Amino acid sequence: MKNKTTSAHIVQALGSGLAGALALNVVHEAIRQVRPQDAPRMDILGKRGLRRLLAKANASQPTEDTAYVLTMLGDLVSNGLYYSLVGSGPGVWWRGATLGIAAGVGGVVLPGPMGLGQAPSNRTPQTKAMTVAWYLLGGLAAAGVSQAWSSKRR
């Protein structure tokens, strides 16, 4: 019985995390189409990171379209795993908000020191605010899905 419960919680956490990652990516992509002047461009940071890793591995560089697709897939996987930390049970909303804000602040602060450039997430005050807000939205989406999943299992 315990293994079945543990498996159910893992599936719930991963599913909720993926929902948060999807929400985050959909908002990022939609807003960059509407507000290109100050929308966060995490896709650019992702492509820079991917190209850097491939260069260090002496691997060939992908085309722009392939790099974009690989970056989006990488975002879904990495953010989905990150947001799966929301888990289940009491406190999912606080965990979702905390994880979201932490990721958003990290998205503003870390790219520069990592050598990926600051402009994609740090260009204007609006860019910074949107970066934090979209990651918070992802954390809250993961929490909402997790809570709904828990309610359905009861």
Side-chain angles (χ1 to χ4, degrees):
M1 180 77 168
K2 187 174 183 175
N3 286 340
K4 199 172 194 181
T5 303
T6 301
S7 295
H9 285 288
I10 291 170
V11 170
Q12 179 177 344
L14 291 173
S16 300
L18 180 59
L22 285 168
L24 169 66
N25 279 20
V26 166
V27 170
H28 267 300
E29 289 302 299
I31 299 301
R32 84 175 178 91
Q33 300 298 322
V34 178
R35 295 188 57 120
Q37 70 278 11
D38 58 6
R41 295 298 308 271
M42 305 315 271
D43 58 310
I44 291 173
L45 292 174
K47 286 188 281 188
R48 287 177 183 171
L50 172 65
R51 291 187 184 286
R52 178 183 278 179
L53 285 172
L54 292 173
K56 286 186 180 200
N58 292 321
S60 62
Q61 294 291 323
T63 65
E64 188 65 21
D65 288 342
T66 301
Y68 176 80
V69 169
L70 291 173
T71 297
M72 289 298 109
L73 290 172
D75 280 351
L76 288 175
V77 170
S78 61
N79 288 322
L81 290 171
Y82 177 76
Y83 286 132
S84 74
L85 296 173
V86 166
S88 63
V92 292
W93 290 105
W94 287 110
R95 285 191 301 275
T98 301
L99 288 167
I101 290 169
V105 170
V108 171
V109 174
L110 294 176
M114 293 173 68
L116 299 175
Q118 295 181 2
S121 63
N122 207 356
R123 188 167 50 262
T124 67
Q126 294 84 359
T127 307
K128 293 176 191 179
M130 282 188 266
T131 299
V132 175
W134 301 164
Y135 280 95
L136 171 60
L137 175 78
L140 294 176
V145 169
S146 181
Q147 184 172 44
W149 201 317
S150 291
S151 296
K152 190 174 182 176
R153 284 193 332 185
R154 285 185 203 137

